[in-house]
Amino acid sequence: MEEMFHKKSEAVRRLVEAAEEAHLKHEFDADLQYEYFNAVLINERDKDGNFLELGKEFILAPNDHFNNLPVNISLSDVQVPTNMYNKDPAIVNGVYWSESLNKVFVDNFDRDPSLIWQYFGSAKGFFRQYPGIKWEPDENGVIAFDCRNRKWYIQAATSPKDVVILVDVSGSMKGLRLTIAKQTVSSILDTLGDDDFFNIIAYNKELHYVEPCLNGTLVQADRTNKEHFREHLDKLFAKGIGMLDIALNEAFNILSDFNHTGQGSICSQAIMLITDGAVDTYDTIFAKYNWPDRKVRIFTYLIGREAAFADNLKWMACANKGFFTQISTLADVQENVMEYLHVLSRPKVIDQEHDVVWTEAYIDSTLADDQGPVLMTTVAMPVFSKQNETRSKGILLGVVGTDVPVKELLKTIPKYKLGIHGYAFAITNNGYILTHPELRPLYEEGKKRRKPNYSSVDLSEVEWEDRDDVLRNAMVNRKTGKFSMEVKKTVDKGFRCGAIQRPWKIFLPRERNRRRPT
């Protein structure tokens, strides 16, 4: 298993090296014209029978390794989100220099034929995928996929973080502004992963925790918690005056108290401020809580078209190592929210921390086999700019990754060493199951419907004999060794039950990374 982990990591590392080298040699050209293979437009023709622009002929052939999907194992193609312009200079330049990854994609596949999808997700928004495949829009002609919202991208691009989101619900936020603010909060939640912790506070002349039962603390940004908070966002309404000073004091106190408990990410901390204006710069509050170390970054989102209070919000963000952006319409939300990820990635970029991350198990319905959809995990690594003029600024170019079927992990387990009642399993650093005999992601009926939280099943939910979480905590804390625990075992087809002492052995891959499986 360790050898398999190493092979997948090395394939990703080769992609990182090739991408960084290609970008280092590239000089940005705002007038660059380059015809690339757009994954949506390939092989499409107009009414006269001519290929569409960016839709040249792209040879696709069914391939057994990819579930007989029509793919091109010689070339990659590029998907651009529907809300972005295909020929934006930043997109075209990024696609141009990342074309050099094609050789590495093919070489990786030749070295390790068990590889599935390989890809590069750009910080500019485009997604280069190998082998090349045609993407089909939904019934509305839209492809909502944005690689920067995917867990593998977020986990690789940023360090774990504690976030307090402050939402202005004063009277001036009525109508469209409040709608945009709620969508901004929802988009921020999309960028948070299982390694992150958060809370949401609405403020006018008083503080209103979106979830009153969780005031004064932070919660893990898993799927269940994020959906719970989204449901409560609809209950917000605007009235009164906005007392931002009270909200800032509360946010700083929460982050300080939570950090002192030793819980949370114990890494980056941030306050997200969503408002239509600030009448002051509140420098006395920042001087009290955040200066001179500035450990908490302030990100400010100005809602609406008016810029009367923009200067104050810009100053607050710049004075606290954050970022300011203005959101005028609902269409602006997603792209503007993404900007904060670039800022939080800067320390990793400057220190050149090429950490390898592995995600929890998820279902890839495109590669379904005879037994239904396939469980996957992704190994990913960030790509940084090495150009002299940008290196000191910490520019993230994107994230590369490859998918690994969970069944490939199971093939590496020497079953003959486990015994007749033995089994192996793996969990993530958050205690979520990567693979386990009792992990059942689908409802039995039809074997097509996914259980809503199938990708965040905690080990304690299946190893229920581990009542004190001895086994779970040992694995999460990356301990190795052996111990035994009493478990109940059914025999005679479930008619009898007996207690036995079962030995456990915890294995940890040698390459130390806090986000590797255990």
Side-chain angles (χ1 to χ4, degrees):
M1 182 177 286
E2 185 171 353
E3 181 181 351
M4 191 274 293
F5 281 149
H6 180 72
K7 286 175 65 177
K8 306 303 181 187
S9 298
E10 283 304 302
V12 172
R13 200 178 302 277
R14 284 191 288 271
L15 289 172
V16 170
E17 292 172 354
E20 292 181 344
E21 185 66 23
H23 180 262
L24 180 63
K25 295 178 179 178
H26 177 73
E27 186 174 339
F28 184 85
D29 180 3
D31 299 319
L32 178 65
Q33 300 294 317
Y34 180 64
E35 290 287 319
Y36 61 90
F37 291 110
N38 185 293
V40 179
L41 301 176
I42 54 173
N43 299 330
E44 294 288 332
R45 298 177 183 266
D46 60 21
K47 60 182 180 181
D48 298 324
N50 299 317
F51 285 112
L52 296 178
E53 192 175 22
L54 301 182
K56 298 176 291 184
E57 183 179 11
F58 192 73
I59 298 174
L60 299 171
N63 189 292
D64 292 342
H65 187 61
F66 295 92
N67 197 33
N68 283 321
L69 290 172
V71 297
N72 187 319
I73 59 173
S74 300
L75 294 170
S76 62
D77 57 7
V78 176
Q79 178 264 339
V80 180
T82 304
N83 64 331
M84 301 187 72
Y85 178 42
N86 284 327
K87 302 193 107 179
D88 182 279
I91 298 289
V92 174
N93 276 266
V95 170
Y96 179 79
W97 65 255
S98 65
E99 194 78 20
S100 62
L101 293 180
N102 278 322
K103 293 180 181 179
V104 188
F105 286 142
V106 174
D107 181 57
N108 280 343
F109 192 43
D110 289 340
R111 294 186 188 210
D112 182 4
S114 68
L115 284 174
I116 310 293
W117 307 112
Q118 302 175 66
Y119 37 81
F120 168 64
S122 169
K124 300 299 182 183
F126 72 84
F127 179 71
R128 179 177 289 281
Q129 182 181 23
Y130 172 88
I133 188 171
K134 184 169 178 58
W135 288 52
E136 299 291 346
D138 61 19
E139 61 275 11
N140 298 316
V142 173
I143 294 181
F145 178 88
D146 189 323
C147 62
R148 296 168 297 177
N149 276 336
R150 311 301 288 183
K151 281 192 174 181
W152 53 268
Y153 186 98
I154 295 167
Q155 289 181 3
T158 64
S159 302
K161 50 195 172 291
D162 300 332
V163 177
V164 176
I165 303 172
L166 301 179
V167 188
D168 184 355
V169 290
S170 62
S172 61
M173 289 288 289
K174 285 183 179 180
L176 180 60
R177 289 185 180 182
L178 187 58
T179 302
I180 295 175
K182 290 178 181 179
Q183 184 60 44
T184 301
V185 174
S186 183
S187 293
I188 291 173
L189 293 182
D190 286 336
T191 67
L192 302 181
D194 294 329
D195 294 327
D196 305 319
F197 290 78
F198 77 102
N199 206 336
I200 306 173
I201 305 173
Y203 71 91
N204 41 37
K205 64 180 180 180
E206 296 177 343
L207 298 179
H208 309 275
Y209 279 85
V210 170
E211 173 46 82
C213 295
L214 296 170
N215 60 335
T217 188
L218 302 178
V219 296
Q220 188 176 14
D222 58 28
R223 174 173 176 164
T224 302
N225 287 334
K226 289 192 291 185
E227 288 304 316
H228 181 76
F229 273 78
R230 277 196 179 96
E231 292 173 3
H232 282 66
L233 284 177
D234 292 334
K235 301 176 184 178
L236 295 180
F237 58 93
K239 69 173 184 177
I241 60 174
M243 303 294 290
L244 179 54
D245 54 339
I246 299 175
L248 287 171
N249 275 291
E250 182 75 1
F252 276 114
N253 284 325
I254 290 174
L255 291 173
S256 177
D257 294 344
F258 197 70
N259 190 47
H260 288 152
T261 64
Q263 298 175 308
S265 67
I266 317 178
C267 195
S268 301
Q269 292 190 319
I271 295 174
M272 309 290 195
L273 174 59
I274 302 166
T275 179
D276 62 347
V279 297
D280 192 9
T281 57
Y282 303 98
D283 51 306
T284 55
I285 296 177
F286 299 130
K288 177 181 177 181
Y289 292 103
N290 208 34
W291 296 344
D293 297 332
R294 297 190 293 177
K295 292 182 178 180
V296 179
R297 295 179 184 265
I298 308 294
F299 297 91
T300 54
Y301 298 88
L302 177 61
I303 305 299
R305 298 183 184 278
E306 290 80 8
F309 300 105
D311 290 341
N312 287 342
L313 292 175
K314 286 179 182 177
W315 184 92
M316 291 164 63
C318 293
N320 293 279
K321 299 169 65 177
F323 191 86
F324 164 84
T325 187
Q326 185 168 4
I327 303 176
S328 303
T329 66
L330 285 170
D332 297 335
V333 172
Q334 185 170 347
E335 197 63 29
N336 282 281
V337 164
M338 290 295 176
E339 294 293 341
Y340 93 89
L341 290 177
H342 301 160
V343 177
L344 287 183
S345 68
R346 284 174 187 165
K348 293 185 70 171
V349 181
I350 293 172
D351 294 338
Q352 297 291 295
E353 295 179 6
H354 287 94
D355 291 336
V356 178
V357 300
W358 293 72
T359 69
E360 72 278 9
Y362 61 91
I363 288 176
D364 185 344
S365 54
T366 62
L367 294 179
D369 56 21
D370 296 337
Q371 299 177 342
V374 175
L375 276 176
M376 292 278 193
T377 180
T378 295
V379 53
M381 189 182 295
V383 180
F384 307 139
S385 172
K386 289 190 173 181
Q387 294 179 349
N388 290 333
E389 62 271 21
T390 61
R391 190 165 184 171
S392 61
K393 297 178 182 178
I395 303 298
L396 174 75
L397 300 178
V399 174
V400 295
T402 185
D403 294 341
V404 182
V406 170
K407 62 184 179 182
E408 291 296 322
L409 299 178
L410 300 178
K411 288 179 182 178
T412 65
I413 298 172
K415 296 181 179 179
Y416 66 91
K417 292 184 179 182
L418 298 178
I420 189 170
H421 294 303
Y423 58 89
F425 56 91
I427 65 172
T428 68
N429 63 296
N430 289 298
Y432 295 147
I433 293 172
L434 184 62
T435 176
H436 193 287
E438 297 299 323
L439 178 61
R440 300 184 179 95
L442 302 177
Y443 290 107
E444 287 298 319
E445 185 179 344
K447 291 192 173 183
K448 289 184 178 180
R449 256 191 331 132
R450 306 174 191 177
K451 295 178 181 177
N453 297 318
Y454 76 91
S455 63
S456 55
V457 178
D458 196 272
L459 181 65
S460 59
E461 297 180 53
V462 293
E463 294 292 345
W464 52 269
E465 295 96 345
D466 185 25
R467 293 182 179 87
D468 297 323
D469 288 338
V470 176
L471 173 63
R472 180 191 182 281
N473 290 341
M475 295 182 72
V476 169
N477 293 327
R478 310 185 64 79
K479 295 180 180 177
T480 58
K482 301 178 181 180
F483 73 98
S484 61
M485 184 170 60
E486 184 178 284
V487 300
K488 289 182 172 62
K489 188 70 180 176
T490 58
V491 294
D492 292 343
K493 297 182 180 180
F495 286 102
R496 289 192 297 152
C497 179
I500 61 173
Q501 285 287 327
R502 169 171 284 171
W504 302 85
K505 183 175 181 180
I506 303 175
F507 162 78
L508 183 70
R510 278 197 204 104
E511 186 180 335
R512 298 302 299 268
N513 186 297
R514 72 184 298 270
R515 290 186 269 185
R516 286 283 298 271
T518 303

